[in-house]
Amino acid sequence: MTTATTDRPRTTAAHLSPRLTTATAGRVLRQLRHDHRTIAMLLVLPSLLLGLLYLLWKDVPTLPGQPGTFDRVGLTMLGIFPFVVMFLVTSIAMLRERTSGTLERLLTTPVSRLDLLLGYGLAFGSAAALQAVVTVGVATTVYDLEVTGSVWLVVLIAVVDAVLGVALGLLASAFARSEFQAVQFMPVIVLPQFFLCGLLVPREQMAGWLQAVSDVLPLTYAVEALQEVGRSAEATGTMWADVGIVAGAALLALALAAATLRRRTS
Amino acid sequence: MDAVTVTDLVVDRGRRRVLPGLSFTVPAGRVTGLLGPSGSGKSTLMRALVGVQRVRSGTVTVLGRPAGSAALRSRVGYVTQAPSVYADLTVRENARYFAALYGRGARAADAAVADVGLADAAGQLVADLSGGQRGRASLACALVGDPELLVLDEPTVGLDPVLRVELWEQFHALARAGTTLVVSSHVMDEAARCDRLLLLRDGALLADTTPARLRADGRSDDLEAAFLNVVRAREGSPA
Ligand SMILES: Nc1ncnc2c1ncn2[C@@H]1O[C@H](COP(=O)(O)OP(=O)(O)OP(=O)(O)O)[C@@H](O)[C@H]1O
Ligand SMILES: [Mg+2]
């Protein structure tokens, strides 16, 4: 007997199709391509903001033997910009998908929920890669940012951070009923991670419980990974572990987002 | 052969019981019209057919499988009432994306765009289209999958008479080729173009009929008048 009575998850979110994932990523990138101003802002804004930080600390003397404040803060910001920007862009994009009815329609096509979400991750992750190359390039040449390790590792960490932002944005958008709500998820999700990541106050100096909270926030590991690259010429084991944790957190958030995306709604 | 079998379907939306227990079948290879006043539950029923509506109880079987099951998704096309296409993509890009989801190529996408009369606007952003053109772009994105069942929620709203006739001719051509169509409308003159009619009122099936039978039952050649006569007869008679 066929039945459609319950809302049991009749279709697993796990039916992955690389073809449908890339088709979706291509579609999202095509949408982006039609929006020239957004592309310009994505590529240029982080560099401009970093420039402001550079000017802020340019003439502040540093203790001999210590890294300059801009080197420390600027490097960290290379990981935080893509995280924040992609979180916002994704949660708005997904909300638009919901309110325009295209999401409902997609759910009636062969594309699986995970294909859809991974497509977003792939699309905005690629955009973030381009953004990171530009920002890291400008930072190291124009602003003389000192990075002891490879700048490509910085780019890699920035991209993983961006994917984390995408994944959390997709997850957050499931709980937003309006644009106003979606935008307010940004400070809720982003600011605590920023406050506790070890940039404002070194983690060793935090109260024990705050340090414990900081331990479970993924951005903490992204910032630690960047600091490792800033310090050592060779990629360290700690750095790779940190990158793994951030990537794992992103995958977990994506899986949760797929699980909270209901095919049937009331 | 029935393409759709609905048995005792109950749907609640919010606190309201929108469909209090519907049963009917939809014959394959025919155009079935779903008619009823605004708020009567047409869109809700169509959502149940494509498997995106949470249902309280009852069964919906589509092409021999439970509505919404994974195997059906390449065989069922759905056009929502409000055009659901990407406003920031061109018509062609929209059609090609949906074509890709259904495993079809660019050629099928371009053909679907031409079929809805948008070949000249294919390179235009959907945001820059007129309301009627947007609706047709949305239709093209369902046609492109060449589905066995097409569920169309008010596809002809906002279209001029010429286009409307053309689209209805296309629906019948699809039906002749074996496609099953369920088309909702709240204008009775479209009812005349359907092979079968399901008349919905407050979520209940008022009549499961054909245009000819409705004219006879309602004692009028005008379908609108016939429909009203049937409604009055129902409400006048004791339950
Ligand atoms: N998301 C929702 N939450 C709660 N109630 C809803 C929701 N959507 C629709 N309804 C209610 O369900 C009933 C049926 O709505 P439905 O959209 O199915 O009607 P319809 O026949 O398609 O109307 P129209 O011809 O205006 O499109 C209406 O009373 C409506 O108020
Ligand atoms: Mg409707």
Side-chain angles (χ1 to χ4, degrees), chain B residues 12-183:
Chain B
D12 293 339
R13 298 190 85 168
R15 297 231 182 89
R16 277 184 47 125
R17 175 142 298 183
V18 175
L19 303 178
L22 270 185
S23 299
F24 63 89
T25 60
V26 171
R30 293 276 190 291
V31 182
T32 298
L34 190 57
L35 281 102
S38 178
S40 57
K42 301 182 295 294
S43 298
T44 305
L45 178 54
M46 296 190 129
R47 279 167 44 86
L49 295 186
V50 298
V52 294
Q53 175 66 53
R54 191 174 293 161
V55 304
R56 164 122 290 204
S57 63
T59 62
V60 181
T61 307
V62 174
L63 305 172
R65 292 168 186 275
S69 50
L72 285 178
R73 283 196 220 114
S74 51
R75 303 169 65 195
V76 175
Y78 174 43
V79 179
T80 50
Q81 184 164 4
S84 48
V85 274
Y86 297 98
D88 47 0
L89 289 182
T90 66
V91 176
R92 187 184 292 118
E93 287 168 334
N94 268 289
R96 289 195 176 175
Y97 174 51
F98 283 96
L101 296 188
Y102 289 111
R104 319 235 159 193
R107 184 119 33 98
D110 295 345
V113 170
D115 277 348
V116 297
L118 284 181
D120 290 337
Q124 232 170 301
L125 285 181
V126 167
D128 300 337
L129 296 180
S130 73
Q133 287 176 321
R134 217 174 286 185
R136 281 184 283 151
S138 190
L139 179 60
C141 292
L143 293 179
V144 76
D146 196 12
E148 290 163 59
L149 171 68
L150 253 179
V151 178
L152 309 176
D153 201 351
E154 311 213 11
T156 57
V157 169
L159 296 186
D160 57 278
V162 178
L163 258 172
R164 203 142 80 183
V165 169
E166 278 178 19
L167 275 185
W168 274 97
E169 276 166 4
Q170 201 186 335
F171 296 162
H172 281 287
L174 286 167
R176 274 195 301 278
T179 308
T180 305
L181 292 97
V182 178
V183 184

Side-chain angles (χ1 to χ4, degrees), chain A residues 1-259:
Chain A
M1 186 62 213
T2 53
T3 152
T5 45
T6 51
D7 192 30
R8 76 190 146 87
R10 59 190 60 259
T11 46
T12 59
H15 276 134
L16 252 188
S17 153
R19 193 175 52 78
L20 300 188
T21 301
T22 48
T24 301
R27 184 264 294 175
V28 173
L29 285 174
R30 242 166 258 128
Q31 286 178 285
L32 203 57
R33 206 182 54 196
H34 284 291
D35 189 349
H36 298 150
R37 191 179 298 179
T38 296
I39 295 183
M41 289 171 82
L42 275 178
L43 293 184
V44 176
L45 272 187
S47 301
L48 292 180
L49 288 171
L50 211 57
L52 195 59
L53 286 179
Y54 167 70
L55 294 174
L56 188 65
W57 275 298
K58 196 163 82 85
D59 299 322
V60 178
T62 47
L63 294 174
Q66 292 283 330
T69 314
F70 174 69
D71 286 342
R72 190 169 62 85
V73 176
L75 184 61
T76 310
M77 293 315 280
L78 288 176
I80 291 177
F81 283 136
F83 174 70
V84 175
V85 171
M86 292 305 159
F87 177 88
L88 267 180
V89 167
T90 313
S91 45
I92 297 288
M94 196 60 188
L95 197 75
R96 268 189 356 192
E97 191 99 70
R98 229 176 261 279
T99 51
S100 68
T102 46
L103 179 65
E104 172 166 316
R105 179 176 206 162
L106 288 178
L107 292 176
T108 70
T109 71
V111 75
S112 78
R113 287 170 283 177
L114 207 54
D115 286 331
L116 185 60
L117 299 181
L118 284 176
Y120 267 103
L122 196 58
F124 288 135
S126 323
L130 208 59
Q131 182 189 56
V133 168
V134 172
T135 316
V136 172
V138 170
T140 50
T141 56
V142 184
Y143 310 140
D144 296 321
L145 184 86
E146 297 280 354
V147 185
T148 313
S150 157
V151 290
W152 292 108
L153 286 175
V154 178
V155 171
L156 171 77
I157 297 168
V159 171
V160 176
D161 266 0
V163 174
L164 177 69
V166 169
L168 289 176
L170 290 170
L171 182 57
S173 78
F175 300 98
R177 287 286 156 267
S178 69
E179 285 83 349
F180 292 156
Q181 292 177 12
V183 168
Q184 294 191 78
F185 275 123
M186 201 279 277
V188 173
I189 305 272
V190 171
L191 287 185
Q193 299 206 58
F194 176 63
F195 293 160
L196 298 181
C197 72
L199 179 67
L200 301 186
V201 176
R203 277 163 40 79
E204 311 80 69
Q205 294 172 25
M206 289 178 195
W209 68 276
L210 280 179
Q211 210 174 324
V213 174
S214 158
D215 279 347
V216 297
L217 298 177
L219 200 62
T220 304
Y221 299 91
V223 168
E224 188 180 65
L226 284 169
Q227 286 168 350
E228 289 284 304
V229 179
R231 263 198 301 266
S232 28
E234 294 298 317
T236 65
T238 312
M239 187 219 77
W240 286 119
D242 288 335
V243 169
I245 291 173
V246 178
L251 283 180
L252 184 67
L254 271 179
L256 279 175

